[in-house]
Structure formats: structure tokens, C-alpha cells
């Protein structure tokens, strides 16, 4: 496959795909979205203008979960992995991004109630995960799957905006384990130069 990845190293959904590519040792060409030309190219491929988009021999593949199924189908071994992939995207990544996105708004456009609701949703997600992850090495069991590709950037950034409290030790331990996974550690290191972009201020850790 001649693959071109349109995304950004600091993007959580781009990192999700990068983890799968690195796990699979899949060669690809980067198209980093850091200038108007690159964004214009993305818009031609996908008018919604959301990253990442993978182009496989000229054909766009859109949405991070679909991209992973395309390039690394062995990372999708079960319905449990699919369920947890959706859980991390919808109930961890989405409220995290709502909090971050609110900070990017003008002061008079901010939504304190929406942010409070997003923080509450994250705590509910942490509580569910605390029980779900008990006794497991990875999200869906003993094997690293698409669910872990989704979990890594989700929990990485979520802990920056709504810290994983002491009442969630399984979640905190799992996040730490993800950070040691070579594929995610590589993605994190590649994104370090861009931490000043984080609107809430990146913590001096991780």
C-alpha cells in the first residue's frame, strides 16, 4: 500500500492512527497539517476538514477507526475491542475535546455549563473504566487492540484537563502502561514540540 497520512502529531485522533501504523510497522508518508496548502489538500479529500485522513494509493480512507481496520485488521479481534474503541472516542475523547474547545472560544462565547457537564461525563467514564479494566493488561483483555489505540490519546489528554483521581487506580495504572508502549511513546515524543499549543497549558509531566 502507498499510504499518505494527513494529520498532525499533536492531534489525538491522528495519534490513534499513528499507534496502529507503528504497531504494524506500516510505512507511510506524512502530510502534516501545518500550513494553508496542506489544509486545502485535506479539504479536497474530505470537505468536513477533520483529521486524520489516510490516502491509500489515491483513495481516501476517513475516520480513525475505519483507518485502523483498513491498515491493521488484526487490531480489531472482537466486538469487545470495537465497543471499547467507541467508548474511548465518545465518552473520553469527546468530553475532553469539548473542554479544550471551549477554552479556544472568545470569553463571551464560552459555555461553563457545557464544560461542567463534560467534566462530569469524564468522571463517569473513569468510574466505569475502573471496574471494566480490573484484572486486565489491555482494554479488551490480554492483547493490545484498536481499543488501546483509542484509549492512549484519550486518557493521555483527558488526564490533563480532568485529572484521573486516586479513586481510579486501575485507570491511572492503565494510562501509565499505555505511555510505556513503544508505539504510543513514539507518538508522544513526536508531539512534544507542539505542547505549547495546548490551550489549557500542558502539565510538566508525561
Amino acid at each position: 500500500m502507498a499510504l499518505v497520512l494527513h494529520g498532525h502529531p499533536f492531534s489525538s485522533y491522528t495519534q490513534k492512527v499513528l499507534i496502529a501504523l507503528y504497531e504494524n510497522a506500516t510505512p507511510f508518508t506524512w502530510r502534516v497539517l501545518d500550513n494553508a496548502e496542506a489544509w486545502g489538500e485535506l479539504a479536497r479529500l474530505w470537505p468536513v476538514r477533520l483529521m486524520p485522513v489516510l490516502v491509500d494509493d489515491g483513495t481516501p480512507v476517513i475516520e480513525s477507526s475505519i483507518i485502523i481496520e483498513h491498515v491493521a485488521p488484526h487490531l480489531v479481534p472482537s466486538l469487545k475491542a470495537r465497543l471499547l474503541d467507541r467508548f474511548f472516542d465518545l465518552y473520553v475523547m469527546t468530553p475532553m475535546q469539548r473542554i479544550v474547545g471551549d477554552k479556544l472560544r472568545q470569553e463571551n462565547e464560552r459555555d461553563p455549563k457545557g464544560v461542567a457537564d463534560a467534566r462530569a461525563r469524564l468522571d463517569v467514564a473513569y468510574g466505569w473504566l475502573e471496574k471494566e479494566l480490573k484484572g486486565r493488561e489491555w482494554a479488551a483483555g490480554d492483547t493490545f487492540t484498536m481499543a488501546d489505540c483509542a484509549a492512549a490519546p484519550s486518557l493521555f489528554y483527558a488526564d490533563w484537563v480532568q485529572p484521573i483521581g486516586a479513586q481510579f487506580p486501575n485507570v491511572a495504572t492503565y494510562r501509565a502502561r499505555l505511555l510505556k508502549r513503544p508505539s504510543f511513546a513514539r507518538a508522544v515524543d513526536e508531539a512534544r514540540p507542539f505542547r505549547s499549543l495546548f490551550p489549557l497549558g500542558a502539565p510538566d509531566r508525561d
Side-chain angles (χ1 to χ4, degrees):
M1 292 185 290
L3 302 179
V4 180
L5 180 66
H6 297 253
H8 193 280
F10 201 57
S11 154
S12 54
Y13 280 111
T14 302
Q15 288 182 6
K16 175 180 168 180
V17 169
L18 285 172
I19 294 165
L21 292 169
Y22 294 156
E23 285 284 328
N24 213 30
T26 302
F28 67 95
T29 300
W30 254 119
R31 187 68 165 117
V32 178
L33 297 169
D34 60 0
N35 58 61
E37 180 185 355
W39 278 102
E41 187 176 353
L42 178 72
R44 288 189 292 274
L45 292 167
W46 181 224
V48 175
R49 289 171 54 91
L50 290 177
M51 65 180 93
V53 170
L54 187 79
V55 178
D56 181 358
D57 203 20
T59 300
V61 184
I62 296 161
E63 292 294 328
S64 59
S65 297
I66 304 302
I67 294 171
I68 291 174
E69 291 193 43
H70 180 65
V71 299
H74 66 282
L75 292 178
V76 195
S78 64
L79 287 176
K80 173 67 78 174
R82 288 176 181 272
L83 166 65
L84 286 162
D85 169 77
R86 304 319 306 135
F87 178 86
F88 285 112
D89 278 6
L90 297 173
Y91 304 116
V92 181
M93 195 96 79
T94 295
M96 176 275 292
Q97 290 187 333
R98 184 166 189 177
I99 296 166
V100 173
D102 189 78
K103 186 67 174 179
L104 293 170
R105 295 175 175 176
Q106 296 294 325
E107 190 72 37
N108 64 342
E109 296 177 335
R110 290 186 181 159
D111 178 15
K113 177 64 164 56
V115 168
D117 289 347
R119 292 189 182 280
R121 174 59 59 88
L122 282 173
D123 277 338
V124 169
Y126 294 161
W128 185 83
L129 281 171
E130 180 63 23
K131 297 176 181 178
E132 182 70 14
L133 294 171
K134 185 176 181 180
R136 292 185 194 161
E137 182 176 9
W138 302 112
D142 296 331
T143 304
F144 191 93
T145 70
M146 177 171 69
D148 303 292
C149 296
S154 298
L155 292 174
F156 179 74
Y157 287 117
D159 187 51
W160 284 11
V161 304
Q162 180 72 4
I164 299 168
Q167 69 272 37
F168 308 121
N170 290 330
V171 182
T173 300
Y174 173 58
R175 181 182 183 273
R177 189 155 54 248
L178 287 165
L179 280 164
K180 293 180 181 178
R181 186 79 176 188
S183 57
F184 185 47
R186 179 178 173 182
V188 168
D189 283 342
E190 290 172 347
R192 286 184 191 280
F194 306 101
R195 289 194 176 191
S196 63
L197 300 176
F198 196 69
L200 295 170
D204 188 20
R205 56 182 170 88
D206 296 326

